[in-house]
Amino acid sequence: MFKHLQEIDYKLYERYLTLEKNIKAGSNSFYDAYLDLQEQFVKEVAVFCEFDIKARETCGELLRRDDIKKIFKEVLRVDDFTYTKMQDYTLKVNAHKHKGEKNIQIDTIVSYMRIIYNATSLFAAYKNIEISEFDANYFISIFGALEKENAVLKTEMVKLKEELFVSVESGKLKDSDIVAYKSLLSQSEIDKLDLEEQNKELHRQISKLKDIKLSSMEEKLNKTIELLTELTSSVVENRAISYAVGDTICGAERFKSYVERAKEELKND
């Protein structure tokens, strides 16, 4: 629903992606990312209108300027509620930076995202850029998604490690697989990464553990096939010996007749 930002300025869309990542992580960094996005958007509008802006002019300062306020309200048709909220959220984010804030909540995220959507979509419409509808359910669905995925991945990784541990310790795996197993990062090392990087590393480790497990199964299958081959050879040899004994005792022709007789008896049983 924010694809229109790509058409306005791809850097804006990159800011949005950072914001979305913080929503998935359920991180309070959402506030900082939100202000970065809104500030860059307001500056984008100002530059589009060829206004003179200072490099260090903040989002709050820009939104208080009469010329910018006029463009938003009279040209882009941003309603008073949305514009006031843009100013209000700027103040709240700055307060969050200085005083700290309780953990971000989904209702706050939806409210903030609706405001930035309203403002940016009107600018996109003014530039004849296609826009899509705002979908609050999308943000509800992704909120904290990285943390949920993290828990599932950790459980899967622990299970795979436990399945392979005995084989590794007893040296029942190939040397290369044992080396690969022991080279995996410990949980404490993974926990030092941010959630997104943790999940990437967990996916990598799970893939490696599955490869080791598959390699172990293939090794066992190969050994089973070897045993079956040896058994088959033994059976053939035993039959050959029995035939040889039969030939020796009663002669080849009579032995063949006994074989045929035995076959007929088997059919009639």
Side-chain angles (χ1 to χ4, degrees):
M1 79 194 82
F2 279 87
K3 291 288 181 69
H4 58 273
L5 295 181
Q6 297 181 71
E7 301 298 321
I8 296 173
D9 184 342
Y10 197 80
K11 289 181 179 178
L12 270 178
Y13 189 64
E14 289 178 328
R15 296 279 191 190
Y16 166 75
L17 292 178
T18 300
L19 183 61
E20 188 177 272
K21 183 173 76 172
N22 284 302
I23 295 172
K24 290 178 179 178
S27 170
N28 274 4
S29 295
F30 165 85
Y31 291 108
D32 303 309
Y34 184 89
L35 186 57
D36 287 343
L37 172 60
Q38 181 168 277
E39 184 171 301
Q40 186 162 339
F41 168 62
V42 174
K43 286 182 177 179
E44 182 70 29
V45 174
V47 169
F48 177 77
C49 296
E50 299 183 347
F51 291 157
D52 182 31
I53 58 174
K54 298 174 183 177
R56 294 187 177 182
E57 212 164 359
T58 66
C59 186
E61 290 170 339
L62 289 168
L63 290 171
R64 287 194 294 271
R65 281 177 45 165
D66 290 336
D67 54 351
I68 289 179
K69 187 182 295 185
K70 185 175 182 179
I71 286 295
F72 271 92
K73 291 189 174 184
E74 297 182 13
V75 179
L76 301 183
R77 303 296 181 184
V78 173
D79 60 85
D80 290 339
F81 176 80
T82 298
Y83 197 81
T84 299
K85 281 297 181 184
M86 289 174 69
Q87 293 176 306
D88 181 42
Y89 289 163
T90 300
L91 293 173
K92 285 183 176 179
V93 171
N94 284 325
H96 157 72
K97 284 183 175 182
H98 293 98
K99 298 179 182 178
E101 187 81 20
K102 64 181 181 180
N103 290 338
I104 189 70
Q105 300 296 318
I106 186 58
D107 55 343
T108 300
I109 289 171
V110 171
S111 297
Y112 275 55
M113 297 310 298
R114 192 185 298 277
I115 291 301
I116 195 66
Y117 169 83
N118 289 345
T120 58
S121 62
L122 285 170
F123 184 53
Y126 181 79
K127 297 185 70 175
N128 295 317
I129 295 171
E130 185 178 348
I131 56 176
S132 55
E133 292 293 324
F134 181 79
D135 182 9
N137 288 327
Y138 174 71
F139 297 110
I140 294 172
S141 69
I142 68 170
F143 179 58
L146 288 178
E147 190 171 357
K148 295 171 187 174
E149 181 186 15
N150 187 264
V152 172
L153 292 173
K154 282 181 178 177
T155 300
E156 184 177 3
M157 186 189 70
V158 168
K159 183 180 178 182
L160 285 167
K161 276 191 169 182
E162 288 177 348
E163 288 177 359
L164 292 167
F165 179 75
V166 175
S167 295
V168 169
E169 291 301 304
S170 60
K172 291 182 178 179
L173 301 181
K174 292 187 294 187
D175 290 343
S176 58
D177 287 336
I178 294 175
V179 170
Y181 180 94
K182 292 185 175 181
S183 69
L184 296 173
L185 294 180
S186 67
Q187 189 57 62
S188 60
E189 290 175 310
I190 295 174
D191 288 340
K192 293 176 183 177
L193 306 171
D194 64 41
L195 270 177
E196 186 176 35
E197 290 303 314
Q198 279 190 42
N199 290 355
K200 287 180 181 178
E201 180 59 29
L202 287 167
H203 274 296
R204 189 189 73 80
Q205 297 212 154
I206 287 170
S207 177
K208 178 61 67 175
L209 287 166
K210 285 181 177 179
D211 287 343
I212 295 172
K213 185 177 180 180
L214 181 61
S215 176
S216 173
M217 291 171 66
E218 288 176 344
E219 189 75 11
K220 290 177 182 178
L221 180 60
N222 289 336
K223 288 180 179 179
T224 301
I225 292 172
E226 287 177 8
L227 288 172
L228 287 173
T229 301
E230 291 174 4
L231 180 61
T232 302
S233 298
S234 177
V235 170
V236 171
E237 288 174 1
N238 288 337
R239 285 184 178 179
I241 291 170
S242 67
Y243 293 157
V245 171
D247 285 351
T248 302
I249 295 173
C250 58
E253 290 302 321
R254 180 170 292 183
F255 180 71
K256 287 179 182 177
S257 69
Y258 290 155
V259 171
E260 292 301 321
R261 180 180 173 184
K263 287 181 179 179
E264 288 299 321
E265 289 176 351
L266 283 173
K267 288 180 182 179
N268 295 326
D269 286 344

